[in-house]
Amino acid sequence: MEFEVNRVEVISQVVCEMLENIENPYERQAGYVHLFGVSQMAALLAQKRNLSVEIAQIAGLLHDYYAYMTGDREKHASKGADMVLPLLAKTGLFSVCEVANISKAILGHSDKEKTDGTPYEELLKDADVLQHVLYNASLPVEEKYAVRYAKLKEELGLI
Ligand SMILES: [Fe+2]
Ligand SMILES: [Fe+2]
């Protein structure tokens, strides 16, 4: 029987291997919750927006890879966008265009107030916001997430 490679599983494994090495258990747990949470939110939004669920999930899984791996959040979007290039190339599973879409989405994901990014860029920002807000939906929505979250609720028919 031929073994079919599932790209989301491959990248999930890469992310898990990185997270396993985080010494602080709280930080490690936060990494699992956030990266897999954003990936799931990205899948939901990709279905709604007719984008590739697979590419959206993989961008979600990798978007804060650099920050969790190094513990350094300073310019983690641009550093992470560079870091995923060899990481994705090494798997041999992604086209040049797919790598570019994922890297570009990661590059722009911290600029939440900008709304003119590529479809995957905006999707990733939105997935990031959804995960932060829905991690504990009983808390008030932080101001920095309020505008995007209100738009998302509208898009998803929640208001
Ligand atoms: Fe981030
Ligand atoms: Fe994030």
Side-chain angles (χ1 to χ4, degrees):
M1 203 170 76
E2 207 174 303
F3 176 71
E4 210 176 300
V5 177
N6 181 294
R7 301 193 296 178
V8 175
E9 289 298 337
V10 169
I11 300 304
S12 293
Q13 196 51 43
V14 169
V15 168
C16 284
E17 280 165 20
M18 178 276 288
L19 291 170
E20 274 162 24
N21 287 318
I22 297 176
E23 265 178 51
N24 181 317
Y26 301 105
E27 185 63 13
R28 194 186 320 130
Q29 180 180 309
Y32 282 110
V33 170
H34 184 58
L35 296 181
F36 283 88
V38 171
S39 174
Q40 291 181 342
M41 294 302 157
L44 176 82
L45 293 175
Q47 289 181 54
K48 187 80 177 66
R49 298 177 188 179
N50 281 320
L51 293 167
S52 163
V53 172
E54 215 186 357
I55 295 305
Q57 282 214 264
I58 288 164
L61 284 168
L62 293 173
H63 82 286
D64 282 338
Y65 185 100
Y66 179 88
Y68 284 108
M69 194 188 84
T70 61
D72 177 16
R73 296 199 70 83
E74 180 80 20
K75 296 202 178 119
H76 73 279
S78 59
K79 289 175 182 167
D82 286 345
M83 175 176 255
V84 299
L85 298 174
L87 187 152
L88 291 169
K90 210 170 82 178
T91 67
L93 297 172
F94 297 88
S95 72
V96 172
C97 180
E98 288 172 327
V99 171
N101 274 334
I102 294 165
S103 178
K104 180 88 172 66
I106 294 172
L107 177 66
H109 87 268
S110 294
D111 294 325
K112 302 281 195 297
E113 67 292 343
K114 283 197 196 160
T115 55
D116 59 351
T118 65
Y120 287 103
E121 223 176 314
E122 294 308 313
L123 180 147
L124 184 55
K125 293 178 201 177
D126 287 337
D128 206 6
V129 167
L130 279 178
Q131 197 283 328
H132 281 297
V133 172
L134 298 178
Y135 172 68
N136 186 345
S138 67
L139 293 173
V141 176
E142 283 185 62
E143 209 178 303
K144 61 183 174 183
Y145 302 136
V147 174
R148 271 187 188 271
Y149 187 58
K151 282 189 187 152
L152 282 161
K153 283 211 293 187
E154 205 178 322
E155 180 183 355
L156 297 170
L158 301 174
I159 45 172

